[in-house]
Amino acid sequence: MGPVDIVILVAIAAALAAVVLRVRRKGVCADCSEAGTCAHKGSCMAHMDPLEIEKRLGKGL
Amino acid sequence: MATDIRVALAGNPNCGKTTLFNRITGQNGYVGNWPGVTVEKKEARLSSDKNVVVTDLPGIYSLSPYSPEEQVSRDYLMSGEPDVVVNVVDATNLERNLYLTLQVVETGLPVVIALNMADLVEKSGDKIDAGKLSQRLGAPVVMISALKGSGVDELLRTARQEAAKAGSVPAHRFDSAIEGVLDDIEKLVPAGVEEGKRRYYAVKLFERDELAAKAISLSPASAAKVEALVAQCEKDCDDDAESIITGERYALIAHIMDECVKKAPAKMSTSEKIDRIVTNRILGLPIFLAVMFGVYYLAISTFGTAGTDWVNDNLFGEGWELFGAAMPSVPDVVTGWLEAAGASAMVTSLVVDGVVAGVGAVLGFIPQMVVLFILLSFLEDCGYMARVAFVMDRVFRRFGLSGKSFIPMLVSTGCGVPGVLATKTIENEKDRRMTVMTTTFIPCGAKLPIIALLMGALVGTSDATWIAPLFYFLGVVAVIVSGIMLKKTKLFAGRPTPFVMELPSYHFPSIRSWALHVWERVSAYIKKAFTIIFASTVVVWFLSNFGTAGWEGGSGAFGFLPDMEGVPEEFTDYSVLAMLGGAIAWIFAPLGFDSWQATAMSVTGLVAKENVVATAASLLHIADAGETDPSLWAAFAGMFSTMGGIMAFGAFNLLCAPCFAAMGTIRAQMNSAKWTAIALGYECGFAWVVGLMINQFYLLAQGVVSVWTVVAVAFAALILFQVFRPMPKGAWDDEPAAAAATA
């Protein structure tokens, strides 16, 4: 295995790691057609229980 | 830095809030031409002034918390966060929209009323006296068109001015007898409640709104006094409290309409003329079927195919000519680079046969995807899809289902994730769960490549116009059949949710919103190709190229199979993927696809549906062949022993559990591991049974009978029995509200 092979394999490994990190950070919903409106997994309403949303919005009432 | 101003957009469903939100913030939030598109609040800063934060609230009809959206909107409005509320009103349906407006003004918050679709009012010949309306409501009124942008600057200017004020004072008054009771109740509202909000809480206490009483910590003694006052008023008026207030509001609205609106002589609008045909009791359904047939025909068999063929034949095939100069294909270019750089055969194979073939196969479908989404977005934006929900309600209701369940399915034609999310608008918990379970049966954009691949494998040509619509209608039939069967079980029995829906006027979509809609979906597809699909193809390549040399004369060692001595041509049969796929292939044997390749494609499809094609590309070198090359389809078809197996494979992959993203959303919406397992289990089980029946009935037609034929007949009989047996006695006894109570 030559140096070119190692460079390419490292690049692919790095790209794979980036995908894994992206999914970890944004959740798989990052691939949904509404992904642009969510900044990260925590703010994705799709992953939130409606009661949780109500509780959050009801804060300070 | 200036202090942030918080603007809340509130209004009825489908009045144009999200269109206004997108216009003033530059966001690309999903705009659908049916109610319930915004099921949660969305926030963004104003494009022209970053100090202004705009919140797009879900569409609601009142501030009485009957549904989760109404609860969310009311809680947000009363949380003290918004500095000003922009009440977006559909001016073409002013009378109905004013019901919410009166309540928003009653909150005492600074309010600006945006009369949206003012251009359509003008076109219809109606006249609205904005000045007089403002006087009657006690809040400024601005005529706008969110779609065209007219009046929006004035609206924002007015909103800024109102935000600086302490609040609005409702100008409307109810009947003097009711006002007397409200005054008495207002005196019982705790002193801590702000002056401007006291009347709002007085009205809510009159309506016996428990959440409002809790929010202001009403003492038991005061609550008893309020109850006595309300009970006396009910006795005097011979009606219940909520109906008294509703009646008063409608009476007021009638007066306001008389004073402020001059209606043009009644004549049938263009929308009404079109609706007489497209929502016709007899013609409605055939028209919908014809329209969807046309959409899939155009996307897959004509314009879309021309683009996809070009990409696959030239960009990922044999290369193309540019101004007479021969241009090599992507795989050729990459192979040339790697060979020139001295890369080994293994790395070259990983990049070309794995990444380029897998990702390229998925990207090759972009032209078809673009055509599909251009057509679907047009149908949504122009208002036709809203009619389809209305037409389908008539079909669904006959079987005890609600047309409300069809809206998430319409959304699912783009992507299952927002489709599942849209089920939040269904109040009845049983109907909601059932819709979550069935909505992903509708083919989403990611399933389009599977359909296109199947079409080629089944008939060997892209001219078979009936195949693509057939798979779309398979999804629709699966939803209806599942709905009928599930509705007759104890888990989902109950009266269907009432479905009230406003049909928007037909209009030509704004090019910007239309283009954004298409771009949003296509860009998500491209993004997915370079992330999840890329990662999957790398994993599939490793699994299909590494294995044990177990062939005759092989050393039995584990390693990179193509480099091993005496390796047979079909070396992937000795790979790790072949071993894993082979271990579970028996599950699919009765469906006619027991090869490890087909099994592997089905399993990787659970990560993302595009993976079915990407995995096929990796295993069959599709990118090298080009889509119109019959050898490609022949190679794919070669995985199956019969045509029935190919159809069963298609049916299984289109109906089984959706991708990881949609599964995650189902988990979040169900809020229960048990219900998530039931949903995914049902989808996979139903898909398996449909696949089994297709394959076995195909074999039966060929004269082949086995024990699985008997099983398939038994399943078919069971399904027919459940579909056609009468609704069990007492299944509709519970009211929707009662059904919603169980968790």
Side-chain angles (χ1 to χ4, degrees), chain B residues 410-553:
Chain B
L410 288 176
V411 178
S412 288
T413 51
C415 174
V417 172
V420 173
L421 193 56
T423 59
K424 279 187 181 175
T425 57
I426 301 170
E427 296 91 350
N428 184 324
E429 189 70 14
K430 289 180 177 179
D431 278 4
R432 198 172 67 80
R433 282 184 179 144
M434 194 178 72
T435 310
V436 168
M437 284 171 69
T438 54
T439 195
T440 53
F441 284 154
I442 299 290
C444 65
K447 289 176 183 171
L448 181 122
I450 305 178
I451 294 175
L453 186 66
L454 289 168
M455 189 165 73
L458 281 171
V459 288
T461 168
S462 56
D463 298 332
T465 54
W466 54 276
I467 298 267
L470 180 81
F471 281 109
Y472 176 81
F473 295 129
L474 173 72
V476 176
V477 171
V479 169
I480 295 175
V481 169
S482 293
I484 297 168
M485 290 196 304
L486 294 173
K487 202 72 188 168
K488 289 176 184 170
T489 63
K490 275 187 182 170
L491 278 176
F492 300 97
R495 195 176 292 276
T497 311
F499 181 51
V500 180
M501 185 176 159
E502 172 205 339
L503 295 180
S505 299
Y506 287 103
H507 62 260
F508 196 84
S510 120
I511 299 294
R512 181 179 177 273
S513 141
W514 191 8
L516 272 176
H517 211 155
V518 174
W519 169 243
E520 200 173 72
R521 289 175 171 186
V522 174
S523 65
Y525 182 81
I526 296 171
K527 203 161 57 183
K528 209 168 173 182
F530 285 103
T531 53
I532 301 285
I533 306 300
F534 159 76
S536 303
T537 52
V538 171
V539 173
V540 166
W541 183 88
F542 271 102
L543 292 176
S544 62
N545 279 272
F546 280 79
T548 311
W551 54 85
E552 204 178 321

Side-chain angles (χ1 to χ4, degrees), chain A residues 22-23 26-41 43-47, chain B residues 28-30 37 39 42 373 411-422 440 444-446 516-529 531-533 607-610 658-666 669:
Chain A
R22 183 175 180 273
V23 171
K26 294 188 171 184
V28 278
C29 64
D31 296 307
C32 102
S33 67
E34 282 209 337
T37 57
C38 293
H40 50 79
K41 191 174 177 179
S43 70
C44 174
M45 291 294 186
H47 279 255
Chain B
N28 308 335
Y30 180 52
V37 166
V39 284
K42 281 179 186 159
F373 287 143
V411 178
S412 288
T413 51
C415 174
V417 172
V420 173
L421 193 56
T440 53
C444 65
L516 272 176
H517 211 155
V518 174
W519 169 243
E520 200 173 72
R521 289 175 171 186
V522 174
S523 65
Y525 182 81
I526 296 171
K527 203 161 57 183
K528 209 168 173 182
T531 53
I532 301 285
I533 306 300
V607 176
K609 288 296 167 191
E610 297 92 331
C659 62
F660 274 3
M663 284 192 230
T665 315
I666 289 175
Q669 293 312 303

Side-chain angles (χ1 to χ4, degrees), chain B residues 678-690:
Chain B
I678 290 175
L680 300 180
Y682 175 78
E683 287 173 338
C684 290
F686 185 77
W688 189 88
V689 169
V690 172

